Amino acid sequence: DAGVIQSPRHEVTEMGQEVTLRCKPISGHDYLFWYRQTMMRGLELLIYFNNNVPIDDSGMPEDRFSAKMPNASFSTLKIQPSEPRDSAVYFCASSRRTGDEQYFGPGTRLTVT
Amino acid sequence: GDSVTQMEGPVTLSEEAFLTINCTYTATGYPSLFWYVQYPGEGLQLLLKATKADDKGSNKGFEATYRKETTSFHLEKGSVQVSDSAVYFCALGASGYSTLTFGKGTMLLVSP
């Protein structure tokens, strides 16, 4: 299995621009998670999906953030408009069952100038 | 609620030294326990896991034993290498819950 795939690996954008991060989970995994990691705040869970349905988005910092999962093999995290404080590494992870180990993608390093 | 507490880092060791990274948890029921490792510039990788009390997880020379009586899951390795330098995260998965609860991570630096 190819593991969790994320794109792009690096994204540099200017404040105010729209940013879209993409994730392909491991085939057969029913759960998909989006995390954000920064030095100051550590690893934060933003939102997670079960069978393509958003279950808990309480970690999404603001309305500027949105996530979708149109099918079992694809999810997006969108930031519109982006701000410098959104600069972080964004990880996607997937798991097969509830409470099971999660498998992480390599992350997208976002820099907003 | 559930929580995971890890020792603060960085932990600095010389090559071939013995490693212990402490992890204690608070949870109701019988959670599964995990150790993840994050190398610089990479995502978190599952290192080992244990799903019930007294289970020992092991991988790549690392070991951790699920101790319910002390609510601990300490990570150990008998002889560390420079290539083990990374951040290590302890995590728990509570039964009936979809998400994992992560500790803050412990950075390990191994010098030659």
Side-chain angles (χ1 to χ4, degrees):
Chain A
D1 201 316
V4 176
I5 299 172
Q6 290 187 247
S7 64
R9 291 294 311 275
H10 301 275
E11 177 80 39
V12 180
T13 191
E14 293 183 347
M15 184 174 64
Q17 296 298 305
E18 178 180 294
V19 175
T20 300
L21 311 182
R22 297 172 177 80
C23 173
K24 175 178 170 56
I26 293 173
S27 177
H29 282 195
D30 291 339
Y31 291 85
L32 184 139
F33 307 84
W34 282 101
Y35 291 89
R36 179 172 68 176
Q37 187 179 42
T38 61
M39 290 294 293
M40 291 296 295
R41 301 173 69 93
L43 190 67
E44 303 173 276
L45 176 64
L46 302 178
I47 185 172
Y48 78 94
F49 296 82
N50 176 215
N51 291 325
N52 314 337
V53 177
I55 303 300
D56 184 354
D57 65 355
S58 60
M60 297 284 260
E62 299 172 33
D63 291 345
R64 299 184 295 106
F65 286 70
S66 62
K68 294 182 180 180
M69 192 166 186
N71 57 62
S73 58
F74 183 66
S75 177
T76 59
L77 178 67
K78 185 176 294 186
I79 308 173
Q80 165 64 18
S82 58
E83 297 183 3
R85 60 194 167 121
D86 301 331
S87 297
V89 181
Y90 291 81
F91 291 106
C92 176
S94 68
S95 69
R96 188 179 300 277
R97 291 178 297 269
T98 181
D100 216 355
E101 62 262 33
Q102 296 177 13
Y103 294 86
F104 283 73
T108 295
R109 181 173 295 278
L110 173 65
T111 303
V112 183
T113 61
Chain B
D2 297 343
S3 67
V4 174
T5 302
Q6 292 182 233
M7 60 190 293
E8 298 235 355
V11 174
T12 304
L13 295 173
S14 298
E15 204 164 27
E16 299 184 3
F18 185 87
L19 168 70
T20 300
I21 299 178
N22 290 338
C23 171
T24 57
Y25 68 90
T26 302
T28 55
Y30 302 92
S32 295
L33 300 172
F34 309 92
W35 275 102
Y36 283 82
V37 59
Q38 184 178 29
Y39 299 102
E42 299 184 12
L44 280 70
Q45 301 174 24
L46 179 66
L47 182 59
L48 54 83
K49 72 174 186 179
T51 58
K52 61 182 186 293
D54 300 324
D55 266 3
K56 177 185 284 187
S58 61
N59 186 24
K60 300 180 181 179
F62 291 89
E63 294 182 340
T65 301
Y66 188 157
R67 302 285 189 199
K68 188 163 178 62
E69 63 275 14
T70 54
T71 61
S72 65
F73 193 54
H74 304 322
L75 182 68
E76 297 181 337
K77 187 176 185 184
S79 176
V80 294
Q81 305 299 311
V82 173
S83 57
D84 294 327
S85 298
V87 179
Y88 293 82
F89 292 88
C90 185
L92 72 83
S95 56
Y97 289 87
S98 303
T99 60
L100 299 183
T101 300
F102 285 88
K104 294 184 182 301
T106 302
M107 179 178 287
L108 170 66
L109 299 172
V110 181
S111 56

